[in-house]
Amino acid sequence: MDWMAWTWPTAIFFMVIASLLIVFTFLAIRFPERPRMGVLRIETTRGDRLFITLLGSAFINLAWLGLVGPDTQPYALIVCLVYAAAVFRWV
């Protein structure tokens, strides 16, 4: 398959996403939760907040690439981690 560049960073990215889905599925089965109301005024569960975090992190990384450039892309990870903490705390 010459159309896809499967590199170690790409593989690690997909392994992390798969691991998150497995862990969150286990948590949902082992420790069921009631949806809670956050600052968005919608009921969310752990899985909803994970989805919001992944979607927002994708936009943060795309904006970082467009505005700052690829040289400092690892710093976008720090921004994404702060964003994830905020989503899981307040959304």
Side-chain angles (χ1 to χ4, degrees):
M1 293 191 181
D2 295 333
W3 62 273
M4 183 74 177
W6 285 104
T7 62
W8 278 111
T10 304
I12 291 170
F13 172 78
F14 282 109
M15 285 189 283
V16 167
I17 299 297
S19 298
L20 280 171
L21 291 173
I22 290 168
V23 166
F24 273 72
T25 301
F26 171 77
L27 287 173
I29 293 168
R30 182 80 173 124
F31 306 105
E33 68 169 335
R34 290 188 348 218
R36 69 176 190 190
M37 189 80 67
V39 295
L40 295 180
R41 307 309 310 159
I42 58 173
E43 290 185 345
T44 60
T45 62
R46 272 185 231 110
D48 298 330
R49 291 188 293 275
L50 176 64
F51 177 75
I52 292 168
T53 298
L54 291 174
L55 191 62
S57 295
F59 285 119
I60 289 169
N61 278 286
L62 287 173
W64 192 280
L65 276 173
L67 298 173
V68 180
D71 296 335
T72 58
Q73 191 67 27
Y75 295 114
L77 176 63
I78 297 168
V79 175
C80 289
L81 291 174
V82 170
Y83 171 72
V87 167
F88 275 92
R89 175 74 177 124
W90 292 301
V91 173

Coordinates of all heavy atoms in Angstrom, one line a residue:
M1 N 0.8 -1.2 0.0 CA 0.0 0.0 0.0 C 0.9 1.2 0.0 O 1.4 1.6 1.0 CB -0.9 0.0 1.2 CG -1.9 -1.0 1.2 SD -3.1 -0.7 2.5 CE -4.1 -2.1 2.4
D2 N 1.0 1.8 -1.1 CA 1.9 3.0 -1.3 C 1.1 4.3 -0.9 O 1.8 5.3 -0.8 CB 2.4 3.1 -2.7 CG 3.4 1.9 -3.0 OD1 3.9 1.4 -2.0 OD2 3.5 1.6 -4.1
W3 N -0.2 4.3 -0.8 CA -0.9 5.5 -0.6 C -0.9 6.0 0.9 O -1.3 7.1 1.2 CB -2.3 5.3 -1.1 CG -3.1 4.3 -0.4 CD1 -3.2 3.0 -0.6 CD2 -3.9 4.5 0.8 NE1 -3.9 2.3 0.3 CE2 -4.4 3.2 1.2 CE3 -4.3 5.6 1.6 CZ2 -5.3 3.0 2.2 CZ3 -5.1 5.4 2.6 CH2 -5.6 4.1 3.0
M4 N -0.6 5.1 1.8 CA -0.6 5.5 3.2 C 0.8 5.3 3.8 O 1.4 4.3 3.7 CB -1.6 4.6 3.9 CG -1.8 4.9 5.4 SD -2.7 6.4 5.5 CE -2.9 6.6 7.3
A5 N 1.2 6.4 4.5 CA 2.6 6.3 5.1 C 2.4 5.8 6.5 O 2.1 6.6 7.5 CB 3.2 7.7 5.1
W6 N 2.5 4.5 6.7 CA 2.4 3.9 8.0 C 3.8 4.0 8.7 O 4.7 3.3 8.4 CB 2.0 2.5 8.0 CG 0.5 2.4 7.7 CD1 0.0 2.0 6.5 CD2 -0.5 2.6 8.6 NE1 -1.4 2.0 6.6 CE2 -1.7 2.4 7.8 CE3 -0.6 3.0 9.9 CZ2 -3.0 2.6 8.4 CZ3 -1.9 3.2 10.4 CH2 -3.0 3.0 9.7
T7 N 3.9 5.0 9.6 CA 5.1 5.2 10.4 C 4.8 4.8 11.8 O 3.7 4.6 12.2 CB 5.6 6.7 10.3 OG1 4.5 7.5 10.9 CG2 5.8 7.1 8.8
W8 N 5.9 4.8 12.6 CA 5.7 4.5 14.1 C 4.8 5.5 14.8 O 4.0 5.2 15.6 CB 7.0 4.3 14.7 CG 7.6 2.9 14.5 CD1 8.6 2.5 13.8 CD2 7.0 1.7 15.0 NE1 8.8 1.2 13.8 CE2 7.8 0.6 14.6 CE3 5.9 1.4 15.8 CZ2 7.5 -0.7 14.9 CZ3 5.6 0.1 16.1 CH2 6.4 -1.0 15.7
P9 N 5.0 6.8 14.5 CA 4.1 7.8 15.2 C 2.7 7.6 14.8 O 1.8 7.7 15.6 CB 4.7 9.1 14.7 CG 6.1 8.9 14.4 CD 6.2 7.5 13.8
T10 N 2.4 7.2 13.5 CA 1.0 7.0 13.1 C 0.5 5.7 13.8 O -0.7 5.7 14.3 CB 1.0 6.7 11.6 OG1 1.5 7.9 10.9 CG2 -0.5 6.6 11.1
A11 N 1.3 4.7 13.9 CA 0.8 3.5 14.6 C 0.6 3.7 16.1 O -0.4 3.3 16.7 CB 1.9 2.4 14.4
I12 N 1.5 4.5 16.7 CA 1.3 4.8 18.1 C 0.0 5.6 18.3 O -0.7 5.4 19.3 CB 2.5 5.6 18.7 CG1 3.7 4.6 18.7 CG2 2.3 6.2 20.0 CD1 5.1 5.3 19.0
F13 N -0.2 6.6 17.5 CA -1.5 7.4 17.5 C -2.7 6.5 17.5 O -3.6 6.6 18.4 CB -1.5 8.4 16.4 CG -2.8 9.1 16.3 CD1 -3.1 10.2 17.1 CD2 -3.8 8.7 15.3 CE1 -4.3 10.8 17.0 CE2 -5.0 9.4 15.2 CZ -5.3 10.4 16.1
F14 N -2.8 5.6 16.6 CA -3.9 4.7 16.5 C -4.0 3.7 17.7 O -5.1 3.4 18.2 CB -4.0 4.0 15.2 CG -4.5 4.8 14.1 CD1 -3.6 5.3 13.1 CD2 -5.8 5.2 14.0 CE1 -4.0 6.1 12.1 CE2 -6.3 6.1 13.0 CZ -5.4 6.5 12.0
M15 N -2.9 3.3 18.2 CA -2.9 2.4 19.4 C -3.4 3.1 20.6 O -4.1 2.5 21.4 CB -1.5 1.8 19.6 CG -1.1 0.7 18.6 SD 0.4 -0.1 19.0 CE 1.7 1.1 18.5
V16 N -3.0 4.4 20.7 CA -3.5 5.2 21.9 C -5.0 5.4 21.8 O -5.7 5.2 22.8 CB -2.7 6.5 22.0 CG1 -3.4 7.5 22.9 CG2 -1.3 6.3 22.4
I17 N -5.5 5.7 20.6 CA -6.9 5.9 20.5 C -7.7 4.5 20.8 O -8.7 4.5 21.5 CB -7.3 6.4 19.1 CG1 -6.7 7.7 18.8 CG2 -8.8 6.4 18.9 CD1 -7.1 8.8 19.6
A18 N -7.2 3.4 20.3 CA -7.8 2.1 20.5 C -7.7 1.8 22.0 O -8.7 1.3 22.6 CB -7.1 1.1 19.7
S19 N -6.6 2.1 22.6 CA -6.5 1.8 24.1 C -7.4 2.7 24.9 O -8.1 2.2 25.8 CB -5.0 2.1 24.5 OG -4.1 1.3 23.9
L20 N -7.6 3.9 24.5 CA -8.6 4.8 25.2 C -10.0 4.2 25.1 O -10.7 4.2 26.1 CB -8.5 6.2 24.6 CG -7.4 7.1 25.1 CD1 -7.4 8.4 24.3 CD2 -7.6 7.4 26.6
L21 N -10.3 3.8 23.9 CA -11.7 3.2 23.7 C -11.9 2.0 24.5 O -12.9 1.8 25.1 CB -11.9 2.9 22.2 CG -12.0 4.2 21.3 CD1 -12.1 3.8 19.9 CD2 -13.2 5.0 21.7
I22 N -10.9 1.1 24.6 CA -11.0 -0.1 25.4 C -11.1 0.2 26.9 O -11.9 -0.3 27.6 CB -9.8 -1.0 25.1 CG1 -9.9 -1.6 23.7 CG2 -9.7 -2.1 26.2 CD1 -8.6 -2.3 23.2
V23 N -10.3 1.2 27.4 CA -10.3 1.6 28.8 C -11.6 2.2 29.1 O -12.2 1.9 30.2 CB -9.1 2.5 29.1 CG1 -9.3 3.2 30.5 CG2 -7.8 1.8 29.1
F24 N -12.1 3.1 28.3 CA -13.4 3.7 28.6 C -14.6 2.7 28.5 O -15.6 2.9 29.2 CB -13.6 4.9 27.7 CG -13.0 6.2 28.2 CD1 -11.6 6.3 28.2 CD2 -13.8 7.2 28.7 CE1 -11.0 7.5 28.7 CE2 -13.2 8.3 29.2 CZ -11.8 8.5 29.2
T25 N -14.5 1.7 27.6 CA -15.5 0.7 27.6 C -15.5 -0.1 28.9 O -16.5 -0.4 29.5 CB -15.3 -0.2 26.4 OG1 -15.4 0.5 25.2 CG2 -16.3 -1.3 26.3
F26 N -14.3 -0.5 29.3 CA -14.2 -1.2 30.6 C -14.7 -0.4 31.8 O -15.4 -0.9 32.6 CB -12.7 -1.6 30.8 CG -12.5 -2.1 32.2 CD1 -12.8 -3.4 32.5 CD2 -11.9 -1.3 33.2 CE1 -12.6 -3.9 33.8 CE2 -11.7 -1.8 34.5 CZ -12.0 -3.2 34.8
L27 N -14.4 0.9 31.8 CA -14.9 1.8 32.9 C -16.4 1.9 32.9 O -17.0 1.9 33.9 CB -14.2 3.2 32.8 CG -12.8 3.3 33.1 CD1 -12.2 4.7 32.8 CD2 -12.6 3.0 34.6
A28 N -17.0 2.0 31.7 CA -18.4 2.1 31.6 C -19.1 0.8 32.0 O -20.2 0.9 32.6 CB -18.8 2.4 30.1
I29 N -18.5 -0.3 31.8 CA -19.1 -1.6 32.3 C -18.9 -1.8 33.8 O -19.8 -2.1 34.5 CB -18.5 -2.8 31.5 CG1 -18.9 -2.7 30.0 CG2 -18.9 -4.1 32.1 CD1 -18.2 -3.7 29.1
R30 N -17.7 -1.5 34.2 CA -17.3 -1.8 35.6 C -17.8 -0.7 36.6 O -18.3 -1.0 37.7 CB -15.8 -1.8 35.7 CG -15.2 -2.1 37.1 CD -15.3 -3.5 37.4 NE -14.6 -3.7 38.7 CZ -15.1 -4.3 39.7 NH1 -16.4 -4.8 39.6 NH2 -14.5 -4.5 40.8
F31 N -17.8 0.5 36.2 CA -18.3 1.7 37.0 C -19.3 2.5 36.2 O -19.0 3.6 35.7 CB -17.1 2.5 37.4 CG -16.0 1.8 38.1 CD1 -14.8 1.6 37.4 CD2 -16.1 1.3 39.4 CE1 -13.8 0.9 38.0 CE2 -15.1 0.7 40.0 CZ -13.9 0.4 39.3
P32 N -20.5 2.0 36.1 CA -21.5 2.8 35.4 C -21.7 4.2 36.0 O -21.6 4.3 37.2 CB -22.8 2.0 35.5 CG -22.4 0.7 36.0 CD -21.1 0.8 36.7
E33 N -22.0 5.2 35.2 CA -22.2 6.5 35.8 C -23.5 7.1 35.2 O -24.0 6.7 34.2 CB -21.0 7.4 35.4 CG -21.0 7.7 33.9 CD -20.0 8.8 33.6 OE1 -19.7 9.6 34.5 OE2 -19.5 8.8 32.5
R34 N -24.0 8.1 35.9 CA -25.1 8.8 35.5 C -24.6 10.0 34.7 O -23.6 10.6 35.1 CB -25.9 9.4 36.7 CG -26.7 8.3 37.4 CD -27.6 8.9 38.4 NE -27.4 10.3 38.6 CZ -27.4 10.9 39.8 NH1 -27.7 10.2 40.9 NH2 -27.2 12.2 39.9
P35 N -25.3 10.4 33.6 CA -24.9 11.6 32.9 C -24.9 12.8 33.8 O -25.7 12.9 34.7 CB -25.9 11.7 31.8 CG -26.5 10.4 31.6 CD -26.4 9.8 33.0
R36 N -24.0 13.8 33.6 CA -24.0 15.0 34.4 C -24.1 16.2 33.5 O -23.8 16.2 32.3 CB -22.7 15.0 35.3 CG -21.5 15.3 34.5 CD -20.3 15.4 35.4 NE -19.1 15.9 34.6 CZ -17.9 15.9 35.0 NH1 -17.6 15.6 36.2 NH2 -17.0 16.3 34.2
M37 N -24.5 17.3 34.1 CA -24.7 18.5 33.4 C -23.5 19.4 33.7 O -23.1 19.7 34.8 CB -26.0 19.2 34.0 CG -26.4 20.4 33.2 SD -27.3 20.0 31.7 CE -28.8 19.3 32.4
G38 N -22.9 19.9 32.6 CA -21.7 20.7 32.7 C -22.0 22.1 32.2 O -23.1 22.6 32.1
V39 N -20.9 22.8 31.8 CA -21.0 24.2 31.4 C -21.7 24.3 30.0 O -22.2 25.4 29.7 CB -19.7 24.9 31.3 CG1 -19.1 25.1 32.7 CG2 -18.7 24.2 30.4
L40 N -21.7 23.3 29.3 CA -22.4 23.3 28.0 C -23.9 23.2 28.1 O -24.7 23.3 27.1 CB -21.9 22.2 27.0 CG -20.4 22.3 26.6 CD1 -20.1 21.2 25.7 CD2 -20.2 23.7 25.9
R41 N -24.4 22.8 29.3 CA -25.8 22.7 29.6 C -26.4 21.5 28.9 O -27.6 21.5 28.5 CB -26.6 23.9 29.4 CG -26.1 25.2 30.1 CD -25.8 25.1 31.6 NE -26.9 24.6 32.3 CZ -26.7 24.0 33.5 NH1 -25.5 24.0 34.1 NH2 -27.7 23.6 34.2
I42 N -25.6 20.5 28.6 CA -26.1 19.2 28.1 C -25.6 18.1 29.0 O -24.5 18.2 29.6 CB -25.6 19.0 26.6 CG1 -24.1 19.0 26.5 CG2 -26.2 20.0 25.7 CD1 -23.5 18.6 25.2
E43 N -26.3 17.0 29.0 CA -25.9 15.9 29.8 C -24.8 15.1 29.1 O -24.9 14.8 27.9 CB -27.0 14.9 30.1 CG -28.1 15.5 31.0 CD -29.1 14.5 31.4 OE1 -29.2 13.4 30.7 OE2 -29.8 14.7 32.4
T44 N -23.7 14.9 29.7 CA -22.6 14.1 29.1 C -22.1 13.0 30.0 O -22.2 13.1 31.2 CB -21.4 15.1 28.9 OG1 -20.9 15.6 30.1 CG2 -21.7 16.2 27.9
T45 N -21.6 12.0 29.4 CA -21.0 10.9 30.1 C -19.5 10.9 29.8 O -19.0 11.7 29.1 CB -21.5 9.5 29.6 OG1 -21.2 9.3 28.2 CG2 -23.0 9.4 29.8
R46 N -18.7 9.9 30.4 CA -17.3 9.9 30.2 C -17.0 9.8 28.7 O -16.1 10.4 28.2 CB -16.7 8.7 30.9 CG -16.2 8.9 32.2 CD -15.5 7.6 32.8 NE -16.1 7.3 34.0 CZ -16.9 6.2 34.3 NH1 -17.1 5.4 33.3 NH2 -17.4 6.0 35.4
G47 N -17.8 8.9 28.0 CA -17.5 8.7 26.6 C -17.8 10.0 25.8 O -17.1 10.3 24.8
D48 N -18.8 10.7 26.1 CA -19.1 12.0 25.4 C -18.0 12.9 25.6 O -17.6 13.6 24.7 CB -20.4 12.6 26.0 CG -21.6 11.7 25.8 OD1 -21.7 11.0 24.8 OD2 -22.6 11.8 26.6
R49 N -17.5 13.0 26.9 CA -16.4 13.9 27.1 C -15.1 13.5 26.4 O -14.3 14.4 25.9 CB -16.2 14.1 28.6 CG -17.3 14.8 29.3 CD -17.1 15.1 30.8 NE -17.0 13.9 31.6 CZ -18.0 13.3 32.1 NH1 -19.2 13.8 31.9 NH2 -17.9 12.3 32.9
L50 N -14.9 12.2 26.3 CA -13.7 11.7 25.5 C -13.9 12.1 24.0 O -12.9 12.6 23.4 CB -13.6 10.2 25.6 CG -12.5 9.6 24.7 CD1 -11.1 10.0 25.2 CD2 -12.6 8.1 24.7
F51 N -15.1 12.0 23.5 CA -15.3 12.4 22.1 C -15.1 13.9 21.9 O -14.4 14.3 20.9 CB -16.7 12.0 21.6 CG -17.1 12.4 20.2 CD1 -16.5 11.7 19.2 CD2 -17.9 13.5 20.0 CE1 -16.8 12.1 17.9 CE2 -18.2 13.9 18.7 CZ -17.6 13.2 17.7
I52 N -15.6 14.7 22.8 CA -15.4 16.1 22.7 C -13.9 16.5 22.8 O -13.5 17.4 22.1 CB -16.2 16.8 23.8 CG1 -17.7 16.7 23.6 CG2 -15.9 18.3 23.9 CD1 -18.6 17.1 24.7
T53 N -13.2 15.8 23.7 CA -11.8 16.0 23.8 C -11.0 15.7 22.6 O -10.2 16.4 22.1 CB -11.2 15.2 25.0 OG1 -11.9 15.6 26.2 CG2 -9.7 15.4 25.2
L54 N -11.3 14.5 22.0 CA -10.6 14.1 20.8 C -10.9 15.0 19.6 O -10.0 15.4 18.8 CB -11.0 12.7 20.4 CG -10.5 11.6 21.3 CD1 -11.0 10.2 20.9 CD2 -9.0 11.5 21.4
L55 N -12.2 15.4 19.5 CA -12.5 16.3 18.4 C -11.9 17.7 18.6 O -11.3 18.3 17.6 CB -14.1 16.5 18.3 CG -14.6 17.2 17.1 CD1 -14.3 16.4 15.8 CD2 -16.2 17.3 17.3
G56 N -11.9 18.2 19.8 CA -11.3 19.5 20.0 C -9.8 19.5 19.9 O -9.2 20.4 19.4
S57 N -9.2 18.4 20.3 CA -7.7 18.2 20.1 C -7.3 18.2 18.6 O -6.3 18.7 18.3 CB -7.2 17.0 20.8 OG -7.4 17.1 22.2
A58 N -8.2 17.6 17.8 CA -7.9 17.6 16.4 C -7.9 19.0 15.8 O -7.0 19.4 15.1 CB -8.9 16.7 15.6
F59 N -8.9 19.8 16.2 CA -9.0 21.2 15.8 C -7.8 22.0 16.3 O -7.3 22.9 15.6 CB -10.3 21.8 16.2 CG -11.4 21.3 15.3 CD1 -12.5 20.6 15.8 CD2 -11.4 21.5 13.9 CE1 -13.5 20.2 15.1 CE2 -12.4 21.1 13.1 CZ -13.5 20.4 13.7
I60 N -7.4 21.8 17.6 CA -6.3 22.5 18.2 C -5.0 22.2 17.4 O -4.3 23.1 17.0 CB -6.1 22.1 19.7 CG1 -7.2 22.7 20.5 CG2 -4.7 22.6 20.2 CD1 -7.3 22.2 21.9
N61 N -4.8 20.9 17.0 CA -3.6 20.6 16.3 C -3.6 21.2 14.9 O -2.6 21.6 14.4 CB -3.4 19.1 16.2 CG -2.7 18.6 17.5 OD1 -1.6 18.7 17.7 ND2 -3.5 18.0 18.4
L62 N -4.8 21.1 14.2 CA -4.9 21.7 12.9 C -4.6 23.2 12.9 O -3.9 23.8 12.1 CB -6.2 21.4 12.3 CG -6.4 20.0 11.8 CD1 -7.9 19.8 11.4 CD2 -5.5 19.7 10.7
A63 N -5.2 23.9 13.9 CA -5.0 25.4 14.0 C -3.5 25.6 14.3 O -3.0 26.6 13.8 CB -5.9 25.9 15.1
W64 N -2.9 24.8 15.2 CA -1.5 25.0 15.5 C -0.6 24.9 14.3 O 0.3 25.7 14.0 CB -1.1 24.0 16.6 CG 0.2 24.3 17.2 CD1 1.5 24.0 16.6 CD2 0.5 24.9 18.4 NE1 2.5 24.4 17.5 CE2 1.9 25.0 18.6 CE3 -0.3 25.4 19.4 CZ2 2.5 25.6 19.7 CZ3 0.3 26.0 20.5 CH2 1.6 26.0 20.7
L65 N -0.9 23.9 13.5 CA -0.2 23.7 12.2 C -0.3 24.9 11.3 O 0.6 25.3 10.7 CB -0.6 22.4 11.5 CG 0.0 21.1 12.0 CD1 -0.6 19.9 11.3 CD2 1.5 21.1 11.7
G66 N -1.5 25.4 11.2 CA -1.8 26.5 10.3 C -1.3 27.8 10.8 O -0.8 28.6 10.0
L67 N -1.3 28.1 12.1 CA -0.9 29.4 12.6 C 0.5 29.4 13.0 O 1.2 30.5 12.9 CB -1.8 29.7 13.8 CG -3.3 29.9 13.4 CD1 -4.1 30.1 14.7 CD2 -3.5 31.0 12.5
V68 N 1.0 28.4 13.6 CA 2.4 28.4 14.2 C 3.4 27.6 13.3 O 4.5 28.0 13.1 CB 2.4 27.8 15.6 CG1 3.8 27.8 16.2 CG2 1.4 28.6 16.5
G69 N 2.9 26.5 12.8 CA 3.8 25.7 11.9 C 4.2 24.4 12.6 O 4.0 24.2 13.8
P70 N 4.8 23.5 11.8 CA 5.1 22.1 12.4 C 6.3 22.1 13.3 O 6.5 21.1 14.0 CB 5.4 21.3 11.1 CG 5.9 22.3 10.1 CD 5.1 23.6 10.4
D71 N 7.1 23.1 13.3 CA 8.4 23.0 14.1 C 8.1 22.9 15.6 O 8.9 22.3 16.4 CB 9.2 24.3 13.9 CG 9.7 24.3 12.4 OD1 9.8 23.3 11.8 OD2 10.0 25.5 12.0
T72 N 7.0 23.5 16.1 CA 6.7 23.5 17.5 C 5.5 22.7 17.8 O 4.8 22.9 18.8 CB 6.5 24.9 18.1 OG1 5.5 25.5 17.3 CG2 7.8 25.7 17.9
Q73 N 5.2 21.7 17.0 CA 4.0 20.9 17.2 C 3.9 20.2 18.5 O 2.8 20.0 19.0 CB 3.8 19.9 16.0 CG 2.5 19.2 15.9 CD 1.4 20.2 15.6 OE1 1.6 21.2 15.0 NE2 0.2 19.8 16.0
P74 N 5.0 19.7 19.1 CA 4.9 19.0 20.4 C 4.3 19.9 21.5 O 3.6 19.4 22.4 CB 6.3 18.7 20.7 CG 7.0 18.5 19.4 CD 6.4 19.5 18.5
Y75 N 4.4 21.2 21.3 CA 3.8 22.1 22.3 C 2.2 22.1 22.2 O 1.5 22.4 23.2 CB 4.3 23.6 22.2 CG 5.8 23.7 22.5 CD1 6.7 24.0 21.5 CD2 6.2 23.4 23.8 CE1 8.0 24.1 21.8 CE2 7.6 23.5 24.1 CZ 8.5 23.9 23.1 OH 9.8 23.9 23.4
A76 N 1.7 21.8 21.0 CA 0.3 21.6 20.9 C -0.2 20.5 21.8 O -1.4 20.5 22.2 CB -0.1 21.4 19.4
L77 N 0.6 19.5 22.0 CA 0.2 18.4 22.9 C -0.1 18.9 24.3 O -1.1 18.5 25.0 CB 1.3 17.3 23.0 CG 1.0 16.2 23.9 CD1 -0.2 15.4 23.5 CD2 2.2 15.2 24.0
I78 N 0.7 19.9 24.8 CA 0.5 20.4 26.1 C -0.8 21.2 26.1 O -1.6 21.1 27.1 CB 1.7 21.4 26.5 CG1 3.0 20.6 26.6 CG2 1.4 22.1 27.8 CD1 4.2 21.4 26.6
V79 N -1.1 21.9 25.1 CA -2.4 22.7 25.0 C -3.5 21.7 25.0 O -4.6 21.9 25.6 CB -2.4 23.6 23.7 CG1 -3.8 24.2 23.5 CG2 -1.3 24.6 23.8
C80 N -3.4 20.6 24.2 CA -4.4 19.5 24.2 C -4.7 18.9 25.5 O -5.8 18.6 25.9 CB -4.1 18.5 23.1 SG -4.2 19.1 21.5
L81 N -3.6 18.6 26.3 CA -3.7 18.0 27.6 C -4.5 19.0 28.6 O -5.3 18.5 29.4 CB -2.4 17.6 28.2 CG -1.7 16.5 27.4 CD1 -0.3 16.3 28.0 CD2 -2.5 15.2 27.6
V82 N -4.2 20.3 28.5 CA -4.9 21.2 29.3 C -6.4 21.3 28.9 O -7.2 21.3 29.8 CB -4.2 22.6 29.2 CG1 -5.1 23.7 29.9 CG2 -2.8 22.6 29.8
Y83 N -6.6 21.3 27.6 CA -8.0 21.2 27.1 C -8.7 20.0 27.6 O -9.9 20.1 28.0 CB -7.9 21.3 25.6 CG -9.3 21.1 24.9 CD1 -10.3 22.1 25.0 CD2 -9.6 19.9 24.2 CE1 -11.5 21.8 24.4 CE2 -10.8 19.7 23.6 CZ -11.8 20.7 23.7 OH -13.0 20.5 23.1
A84 N -8.1 18.8 27.5 CA -8.7 17.6 28.0 C -9.0 17.6 29.4 O -10.1 17.2 29.9 CB -7.8 16.4 27.7
A85 N -8.1 18.2 30.3 CA -8.4 18.3 31.7 C -9.6 19.2 31.9 O -10.4 18.9 32.8 CB -7.2 18.8 32.4
A86 N -9.7 20.3 31.2 CA -10.8 21.2 31.3 C -12.1 20.6 30.9 O -13.1 20.7 31.6 CB -10.6 22.5 30.5
V87 N -12.1 19.8 29.8 CA -13.3 19.2 29.4 C -13.8 18.1 30.4 O -15.0 18.1 30.7 CB -13.1 18.5 28.0 CG1 -14.3 17.6 27.6 CG2 -13.0 19.6 26.9
F88 N -12.9 17.3 30.9 CA -13.3 16.3 31.8 C -13.7 16.8 33.2 O -14.4 16.2 33.9 CB -12.2 15.2 32.0 CG -12.3 14.1 30.9 CD1 -11.6 14.2 29.7 CD2 -13.1 13.0 31.1 CE1 -11.7 13.3 28.8 CE2 -13.2 12.1 30.2 CZ -12.5 12.2 29.0
R89 N -13.2 18.0 33.5 CA -13.6 18.7 34.8 C -14.9 19.4 34.7 O -15.7 19.3 35.6 CB -12.4 19.6 35.2 CG -12.7 20.4 36.4 CD -12.6 19.6 37.6 NE -12.8 20.4 38.8 CZ -13.8 20.1 39.7 NH1 -14.5 19.1 39.6 NH2 -13.9 20.9 40.7
W90 N -15.1 20.2 33.6 CA -16.2 21.1 33.6 C -17.3 20.9 32.6 O -18.3 21.5 32.6 CB -15.7 22.6 33.4 CG -14.9 23.0 34.6 CD1 -15.4 23.2 35.9 CD2 -13.6 23.5 34.6 NE1 -14.4 23.6 36.7 CE2 -13.3 23.8 35.9 CE3 -12.6 23.6 33.7 CZ2 -12.0 24.3 36.3 CZ3 -11.4 24.0 34.0 CH2 -11.1 24.4 35.4
V91 N -17.1 20.0 31.6 CA -18.1 19.7 30.6 C -19.0 18.6 31.0 O -18.7 17.6 31.5 CB -17.5 19.5 29.2 CG1 -18.6 19.1 28.2 CG2 -16.8 20.7 28.8

